[in-house]
């Protein structure tokens, strides 16, 4: 059977000594990355022919370890992985113009994390305990489904990333396992119109409107920010409110991720073809009241593609069509209402008298413009 590589996220419960060691490693990984990037930049200024290969960058990092003894005291594979990330950043920059030149990591802008490699054929999971180099066994929590998967003898462990979000500690365990069974083909297809969240951010040709509500989370974030503005910075109350604020940020992010995962799976399970307008990446969807959050459309559609590849590789999957005049064209008779403005959500076709919902009508037209085998490439 074919294999796939996946990451399983579990919440870990380190003891005080392990937590202290994690934070030391977070700082050392960031320091090794920044020292290596700084040294390469200085050398490149003198000699433009120097290439940022992993071997060369790792050599620069080893020189830093000699001058900074505390780096040498850290777990070695996590430092090497940070240099591998830097090397990958340079490769992306040199090969693709959409990637930026690698930047220095700051404590504020970059998440606290480090990654350890795992020797071949080594099992690092024993029931509810995760074995880490240097730090020993750490208890973790996860769902019964993932607990069974991680304790299975059929998987291969590749690496593990330890991360801290300001409140909780997590382990992202990279494993290789068998592909899941394919979902059966349904023969169903659907058109999707991207819209504002007020009228349903996603409207389908089946007259289903998807809403995503994080207004409560946004209001709590706004409220806590207001309370923090009245406190002296770094005071005991300010620090307490900061943790509370981080908690609500995490809730909002997790709610969004969970929503995307569940919705994409359900769509892939029910439909074989999902048709979108080709310019979806240029549309911003604002969610909530005064504090808006832009819905990650590109991430949503990429997850759809991934799930089709994983669960229904034989299906047509996600396709794109030209969406010009799909809102203004009556799907019943084909008449184009050129006088239709953006604010009008419901209209009656002057040609055939059909009552139309602007967004559902657009979704039906998007579906009708697709024929099997035809698709426009995403230009993003």
């Amino acid at each position: 059977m074919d294999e796939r590589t996946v990451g399983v996220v579990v919440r870990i419960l380190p003891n005080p000594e392990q937590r202290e060691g994690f934070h030391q490693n977070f700082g050392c990984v960031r320091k090794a990355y920044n020292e290596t990037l700084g040294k390469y930049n200085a050398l490149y200024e003198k000699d433009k022919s120097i290439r940022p290969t992993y071997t060369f960058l790792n050599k620069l990092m080893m020189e830093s370890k000699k001058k900074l003894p505390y780096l040498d005291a850290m777990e070695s594979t996590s430092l090497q992985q940070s240099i591998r990330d830097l090397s990958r950043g340079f490769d992306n920059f040199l090969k693709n113009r959409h990637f930026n030149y690698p930047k220095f990591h700051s404590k504020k802008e970059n998440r606290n994390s480090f990654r350890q490699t795992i020797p071949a054929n080594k099992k690092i999971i024993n029931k509810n305990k995760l074995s880490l180099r240097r730090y020993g066994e750490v208890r973790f929590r996860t769902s019964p489904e993932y607990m069974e998967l991680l304790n299975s003898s059929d998987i291969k462990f590749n690496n593990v990333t330890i991360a801290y979000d300001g409140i909780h500690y997590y382990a992202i365990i990279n494993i290789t396992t068998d592909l899941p069974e394919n979902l059966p083909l349904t023969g169903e297809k659907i058109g999707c119109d991207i819209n504002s969240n007020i009228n349903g951010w996603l409207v389908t040709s089946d007259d289903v409107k998807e809403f995503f509500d994080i207004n409560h989370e946004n209001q709590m974030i706004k409220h806590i920010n207001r309370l923090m503005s009245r406190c002296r910075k770094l005071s005991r109350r300010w620090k307490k409110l900061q943790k509370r604020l981080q908690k609500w940020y995490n809730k909002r992010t997790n709610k969004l991720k969970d929503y995307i995962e569940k919705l994409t799976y359900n769509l892939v399970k029910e439909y074989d073809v999902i048709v979108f307008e080709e310019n979806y990446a240029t549309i911003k969807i604002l969610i909530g009241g005064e504090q808006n959050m832009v819905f990650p459309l590109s991430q949503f559609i990429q997850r759809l593609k991934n799930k089709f590849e994983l669960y229904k590789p034989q299906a047509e999957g996600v396709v794109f069509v030209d969406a010009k005049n799909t809102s203004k064209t009556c799907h019943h008779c084909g008449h184009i209402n050129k006088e239709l403005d953006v604010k009008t959500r419901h209209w009656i076709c002057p040609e055939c008298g059909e009552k139309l919902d602007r967004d559902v009508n657009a979704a039906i037209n998007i579906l009708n413009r697709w024929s099997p085998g035809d698709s426009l490439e995403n230009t993003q």
Side-chain angles (χ1 to χ4, degrees), residues 128-140:
N128 68 332
K129 292 183 178 179
L130 168 66
S131 179
L132 296 174
R133 285 178 174 170
R134 185 180 175 84
Y135 305 107
E137 291 187 337
V138 185
R139 290 190 305 114
F140 68 88

Side-chain angles (χ1 to χ4, degrees), residues 48 78 114 157 169 180 186 266 271 298 329 335 368:
K48 304 292 185 182
S78 59
F114 65 84
F157 294 93
Y169 296 85
T186 62
N266 290 334
Y271 301 100
S298 297
T329 303
H335 174 74
N368 291 339

